[in-house]
Every structure is written in C-alpha cells, then in structure tokens.
Amino acid sequence: MHKWKIVCIMMVMILITGCWDKVEIDKRAFVAVICIDKFEAKDGDGKNVGETKKAIDEERNRYMITIAYPNTGVIAGKGEGEPKFVYTSVGKNFYDILDNLSTRLGRRMHFRHTKAIVIGEGLAEDEKLFREVLDTIERSPQIGRKVNLIITPGKAKKIIDTNTKDEAVLGLFIRELVEQNLGTARLADADFGYILRSLHESQTAITPRIFSSKDEFKIAGAAVLKDFKMVGYLGEEDTRNLMFMFDKVQSSVIHIEVDDLIMPIHITDSKTKKKVYEKDGSIYTSFHIKAEGDLGQHLFEVRDQPLDDEYIQKLERTASKYLEEQIDTTYKKIQKDFGADLIQAGEYLRKHEPDLWKEVKDDWSQIFPKTKVEAHVDMKIRRIGVTQ
C-alpha cells in the first residue's frame, strides 16, 4: 500500500510540473532596436512618454530610451495596425526606464533578438553617461556582442521615426544595411564586441555612423571614440582608408586619373600587413598592402589601351600611389585631429615589441601623434571587363 502511495505522489508531481516561467509568444515584445539619448527637458512634452510635463522635468531623468518591436500579426499577414510598436520613456538609468516601460507595454520585453543600438550624439559626447550605457550593455546577458552599436548626429529617437518601406522590422533593416555596405568599406566595420575590446585595450575605438531623413537611412563613415566618449567623425573616404589599415576591406572602389580619364578600379581582394617598429629614434607604422582589382570604365571605342600591358602597368602604378597617399593623409589626420591611436599601433607594440612598449607606454598618448607612417601598395589589375 505504501508503494502505491509513492507512485501516486510521483504521478501527480509529473502531471502538474510545467514551465513555471512560460510566456506565450504573443505576450513577448521582441525589441529589435534600442535608441538611447541624453535627456533634455525640452525633449518631453508629456505625449510620448505617457507622463506629465512636470514628471518629465524631474531631476532624476538622465536618459531617454526609445524601443521598437515588430507587430508580429501584421508581419504574418494576420493582423492590423502599424508594422511596429514604439515606446519612449525617461529615467535615471537603463533599468529604471525599462521598469517604466514595462508598466505600459502589457508584454514582456526580450532583447536576445536586438539587432541595433543607436546612440544619440549628445549622449555619446558625455563621458559619464556613455560609460554607464556601455557598462549596462556589456553586463547584459541578453544582448549579444554582435549587435551593431551605431552613433547618429542629433537625436537617436529620430531613427525610429523614419518610415522606411524596405523592411518592416527596423532592427533587421539596419543590420542588413550595415552588412551590405561593409562591401564598400565606406563605413566602420565594428560590432559591439570589437568596440569593447578596443576600448578595453586602448581607450579608443570607431563605430559606424547613421543618418536619417523622413523616409530614408544612410550608414556611412565612422564616429571616433577616445577616452570613452565621442570626439568627432571620420568621413567615408577616411573610413575606407582606415579599413585598409585594419585589413578589413572586402571590396571597394577607388577612382584614379590617367591621361585626363577618371577611371574606377573595383578592388576585389586586399591583404594588409601592419608593422610598428623603431628606426633612428622614431617609431614607424608601416602598411604593406597587396590588392587586386578590375577596370570598371575606360572610353568607348578605344580598344587598344586596356589591352596594352604597359598601359595596364601604368594604371597599376597610379592606383598604388593613390592608395599610398590616401593612407598617409588619413593617418596624419587621425594624429592631428584626434590624437587617438585608432590604428592600435600601441597594442601592436604591447604584443610584438614588449621591450619597446615598456619604454613608451607611459607617454604613448604624447608619442603616438609624433609617430611616422609608411604605406606600400602593390595593386594588380586582373580584369578589364567585357570588350568586343
């Protein structure tokens, strides 16, 4: 009899045991993009945050966070309404704001599918607030290291207000835009994992930059981080040159001028070897680049020149010199404008020249702007396109 009692108790335990924390999928808010701004009293009018103007202006408010998650019913073609839900709130820190948002959503927020975190320029320039945000994201077990951390001029919230028609899920669209444009090397190839490593190692890093208008996005260039805050921007060409120094160019296009013709060279392969060394009392950073490319345009009904070996070699020499000058210019611009070791020359010395690094590491912030650069490019044009 005692045996049957034990069996019955075990059966009851098995039957009533379930997922105690189960949440139905239609009760989840899969946050695809997070926009974080520095709070300013003028940002709140009481309409967007569901709070009164008086409450918004309270001293405790330091951040403004806007989240967007997809309306899964509309995306599946079985629902109505807007394709995404957008909520904004303010508070003293990240989790204070999430608590505020949770009182209004009626769904449980999930961040494992977050694709992009957009930081407003004002917050990125505030060292304390920016470090707090970086720390919060780094500590979060839900947000992955592959998430795109992007800085935008102006307010980050404007990114969510952009009504793009290309993709209903905004975070996915930003992720796709980043991945497609990495092939042009005109934006910083830097996910959150890289940014963390770079900041931990050298207190400098770059992030992609995003612009928005009423119904369009553009991701190009880079924001420069130094001493845990944003100190400026790099344009598209400087960012491309920096990607050559980082050996992160998958493909790109450069334009060279030969005999009054401006010709695009589509680079299809590139490999960069970086070396940092001391010579005659100065520290040099050298870049040896081997690249291959295609001739994309010449002149209609001129058939002999692109088939002439000497002419192609002339184009190769011109393209090599052009890239060497570009890298030299960008290196010196980084030294002059930012004084930030974005090239991670110091990290190279720490790993490969430890004796030299011991001598210079304490004064590296003053030494790096005085280092010299050498660029050697070996460009080969492999294809000239389809001709008659």
Side-chain angles (χ1 to χ4, degrees), residues 27 30 83 85 100 109 243 296:
K27 296 297 180 184
F30 296 101
F85 297 106
N100 289 337
M109 288 178 282
M243 292 300 101

Side-chain angles (χ1 to χ4, degrees), residues 40-312:
E40 296 177 74
K42 63 181 181 181
D43 293 330
D45 58 5
K47 296 178 181 177
N48 293 326
V49 297
E51 300 178 13
T52 64
K53 181 75 164 57
K54 183 178 179 181
I56 291 169
D57 287 343
E58 285 183 357
E59 189 175 340
R60 72 181 182 87
N61 294 325
R62 301 166 69 227
Y63 303 95
M64 180 172 68
I65 293 182
T66 305
I67 64 167
Y69 60 91
N71 183 343
T72 52
V74 169
I75 293 174
K78 299 177 180 178
E80 296 179 347
E82 296 293 325
K84 65 176 181 286
F85 297 106
V86 177
Y87 287 88
T88 299
S89 190
V90 296
K92 55 188 173 186
N93 59 41
F94 202 88
Y95 287 98
D96 181 37
I97 297 172
L98 294 187
D99 286 345
N100 289 337
L101 287 170
S102 66
T103 63
R104 297 158 52 200
L105 263 60
R107 298 188 184 196
R108 184 176 294 184
M109 288 178 282
H110 284 257
F111 298 95
R112 292 191 186 281
H113 300 279
T114 300
K115 302 300 181 187
I117 298 174
V118 183
I119 306 291
E121 187 178 64
L123 190 144
E125 291 174 336
D126 188 314
E127 180 188 339
K128 186 176 181 182
L129 294 183
F130 191 44
R131 292 178 75 170
E132 289 179 3
V133 169
L134 289 173
D135 186 75
T136 302
I137 301 170
E138 184 179 29
R139 289 176 188 278
S140 173
Q142 291 197 47
I143 299 176
R145 296 297 184 263
K146 290 295 183 182
V147 69
N148 294 115
L149 184 74
I150 308 173
I151 290 178
T152 183
K155 291 290 183 184
K157 184 178 180 297
K158 289 183 179 177
I159 297 297
I160 287 184
D161 293 336
T162 302
N163 293 314
T164 177
K165 298 176 182 177
D166 292 341
E167 173 61 64
V169 183
L170 184 58
L172 285 177
F173 179 69
I174 293 175
R175 168 65 62 86
E176 290 173 1
L177 205 57
V178 169
E179 291 180 351
Q180 287 179 15
N181 282 282
L182 288 179
T184 68
R186 297 175 79 91
L187 81 158
D189 183 358
D191 57 24
F192 186 60
Y194 155 78
I195 293 168
L196 286 181
R197 287 195 306 276
S198 188
L199 287 175
H200 284 311
E201 291 172 351
S202 62
Q203 299 184 4
T204 63
I206 53 172
T207 74
R209 177 180 57 170
I210 186 169
F211 301 94
S212 67
S213 62
K214 185 178 178 181
D215 55 3
E216 191 176 29
F217 292 112
K218 178 177 180 178
I219 297 182
V224 177
L225 307 180
K226 178 185 176 185
D227 297 333
F228 310 114
K229 65 180 180 181
M230 193 193 79
V231 293
Y233 294 107
L234 283 175
E236 296 177 42
E237 288 195 353
D238 284 322
T239 302
R240 178 201 63 194
N241 300 336
L242 190 58
M243 292 300 101
F244 271 109
M245 298 182 214
F246 279 0
D247 190 26
K248 284 191 172 183
V249 174
Q250 302 171 16
S251 65
S252 186
V253 177
I254 61 172
H255 303 273
I256 60 172
E257 184 171 355
V258 176
D259 300 335
D260 292 330
L261 276 180
I262 299 176
M263 290 169 279
I265 306 296
H266 179 207
I267 295 173
T268 56
D269 190 25
S270 173
K271 185 68 179 176
T272 301
K273 289 186 177 179
K274 181 176 75 177
K275 188 174 181 181
V276 186
Y277 60 94
E278 185 181 25
K279 185 175 74 174
D280 300 330
S282 297
I283 293 179
Y284 286 78
T285 305
S286 69
F287 302 95
H288 290 261
I289 301 172
K290 288 187 175 181
E292 294 184 0
D294 304 339
L295 177 62
Q297 174 187 305
H298 190 254
L299 197 63
F300 188 66
E301 280 295 322
V302 176
R303 299 173 183 173
D304 295 336
Q305 277 187 332
L307 297 173
D308 181 72
D309 287 342
E310 289 189 6
Y311 184 75
I312 291 297

